[in-house]
């Protein structure tokens, strides 16, 4: 089994993030018309003040290539009674037998 590397997501990760996100939605039987598309993920995860950030988990496959095996999307908020909080919005992963 290869090591898992967890790191902050970058703009170049958005296509794979979207691919895993779609798999998550399919498994949860969410109607595709009710969700955001890849362009919205790209637009809202970049810029000076992104609306959300994400981390990715990567593994090295049998061919020696690094691939995204999972993700977590999160955002920060301020509460007048709790102070600073972080919300984990989505967590998704590729099946152990599937490749992204």
């Amino acid at each position: 089994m290869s090591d898992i590397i967890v790191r902050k997501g970058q703009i170049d990760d958005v296509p794979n993030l979207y691919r895993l996100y779609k798999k998550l939605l399919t498994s949860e039987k969410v109607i595709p018309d009710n969700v955001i598309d890849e362009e919205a993920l790209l637009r809202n995860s970049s810029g000076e003040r992104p609306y959300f950030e994400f981390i990715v988990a990567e593994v090295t496959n049998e061919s020696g290539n690094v691939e995204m095996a999972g993700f977590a999307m999160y955002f920060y908020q301020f509460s007048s009674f709790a102070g600073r909080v972080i919300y984990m919005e989505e967590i998704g992963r590729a099946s152990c037998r599937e490749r992204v």
Side-chain angles (χ1 to χ4, degrees):
M1 182 174 195
S2 65
D3 291 334
I4 298 173
I5 297 170
V6 178
R7 63 172 177 79
K8 184 172 177 159
Q10 302 169 356
I11 296 297
D12 294 345
D13 296 316
V14 170
N16 284 329
L17 169 69
Y18 184 64
R19 199 167 302 127
L20 286 181
Y21 178 65
K22 283 190 345 186
K23 286 184 182 201
L24 173 67
L25 296 177
T26 301
S27 71
E28 293 181 350
K29 297 180 175 55
V30 174
I31 300 169
D33 293 340
N34 294 343
V35 298
I36 61 175
D37 58 15
E38 185 176 340
E39 177 59 35
L41 284 176
L42 181 62
R43 186 176 57 252
N44 290 294
S45 66
S46 60
E48 189 174 315
R49 295 186 70 189
Y51 285 95
F52 78 94
E53 297 178 60
F54 62 101
I55 57 174
V56 299
E58 296 177 324
V59 295
T60 302
N61 64 22
E62 296 84 18
S63 303
N65 298 319
V66 176
E67 58 187 21
M68 188 183 296
F71 72 91
M73 299 166 65
Y74 62 94
F75 62 95
Y76 298 96
Q77 185 171 334
F78 186 82
S79 165
S80 60
F81 46 83
R84 295 182 291 180
V85 293
I86 183 170
Y87 287 97
M88 186 72 64
E89 180 64 22
E90 297 288 352
I91 299 176
R93 67 173 179 82
S95 167
C96 295
R97 295 178 186 229
E98 291 180 49
R99 297 294 175 216
V100 177

